[in-house]
Structure formats: C-alpha cells, structure tokens
C-alpha cells in the first residue's frame, strides 16, 4: 500500500498517526507542530539534513517516539537530560509524550537554543 496519501502539499510525509495510533490526540498534535517548525526553520538553521526532510517523520520523529517509549517504560523517571539537543530530537519528543518528566535540553549553539525555546 502506497503512503502517498500521507504526503503534505510540500511533498513531505506525516505518518505518525498510522504508525502510533495509541498516542493521544494531544501528543500527536504537539508532535505535528514540532515537525512543522523543524521543517520550517531547517532552511535557516540546518537542523536536519535536507535529504531527510521528506521522511523526517520516520527518520527523526518515529525513532524518537520508539526510544522515548523504551526509556520511559524501562523505569519511571522524574528528570532526563538531552545533551547536545540541537534540533530537539529526542528531548522535545520525550517531553511531548511524557509531560510529567522534567526534560532538560542542553546545547552550546545559541541559534539552536532559540529554536528549542520557540518550540
């Protein structure tokens, strides 16, 4: 089955609802908003490789969802650090999924820190 129905007007995929149907509507909305901002700012800040923009839902978002589920499911935690946060993956994904956990994003690039604050 073709995934073309998941292409947006810019030719970029959004298949998170298909792959992760148990995520709440609120979490999916937050992830979609982050995805949009990531792609919007990418041309200005080089947040991800231009080659991965079309499939950023798979390469960046889905991977971070799976990793977040494994980390959170392994042991209940109160605080987690994303060192070298850069584009916010996986820290912002984890934060959207588990708002009860304090997520600390750490980076040295001031432009990327502003992007993280914006998101």
């Amino acid at each position: 089955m073709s995934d073309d129905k998941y292409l947006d007007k810019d030719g970029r995929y959004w298949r998170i609802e298909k792959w992760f149907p148990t995520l709440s509507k609120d979490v999916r909305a937050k992830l979609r908003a982050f995805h949009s901002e990531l792609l919007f700012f990418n041309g200005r800040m080089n947040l991800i490789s231009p080659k991965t923009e079309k499939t950023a839902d798979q390469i960046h978002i889905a991977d971070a969802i799976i990793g977040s589920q494994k980390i959170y499911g392994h042991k209940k935690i109160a605080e987690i650090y994303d060192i070298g946060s850069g584009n916010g993956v996986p820290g912002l994904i984890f934060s959207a999924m588990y708002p009860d956990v304090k997520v600390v994003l750490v980076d040295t690039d001031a432009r990327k820190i502003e992007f993280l604050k914006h998101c």
Side-chain angles (χ1 to χ4, degrees):
M1 180 162 95
S2 173
D3 277 349
D4 288 348
K5 71 177 185 177
Y6 298 100
L7 284 171
D8 68 13
K9 63 179 177 52
D10 297 316
R12 298 171 178 151
Y13 285 102
W14 183 253
R15 299 166 286 192
I16 299 305
E17 285 93 354
K18 173 186 172 186
W19 295 332
F20 303 97
T22 60
L23 291 177
S24 74
K25 184 177 181 179
D26 179 56
V27 168
R28 289 194 316 260
K30 288 177 183 177
L31 296 178
R32 181 65 187 240
F34 171 71
H35 180 253
S36 295
E37 293 301 291
L38 179 69
L39 296 176
F40 178 79
F41 282 96
N42 191 49
R44 296 158 185 79
M45 302 182 66
N46 193 32
L47 297 167
I48 60 173
S49 167
K51 293 178 183 178
T52 66
E53 283 186 353
K54 182 176 181 177
T55 57
D57 66 330
Q58 176 183 22
I59 295 170
H60 301 290
I61 310 291
D63 280 357
I65 291 170
I66 292 168
S68 296
Q69 289 171 332
K70 293 294 181 187
I71 291 168
Y72 189 80
H74 177 69
K75 182 179 181 183
K76 301 296 181 207
I77 51 179
E79 185 173 82
I80 192 166
Y81 288 77
D82 179 2
I83 307 297
S85 298
N87 62 18
V89 176
L92 290 176
I93 306 301
F94 192 97
S95 179
M97 294 177 63
Y98 305 107
D100 57 316
V101 177
K102 178 181 178 184
V103 178
V104 180
L105 306 173
V106 180
D107 205 283
T108 58
D109 185 323
R111 293 177 319 128
K112 291 182 179 174
I113 291 171
E114 287 306 313
F115 170 74
L116 297 172
K117 287 179 183 177
H118 168 77
C119 288

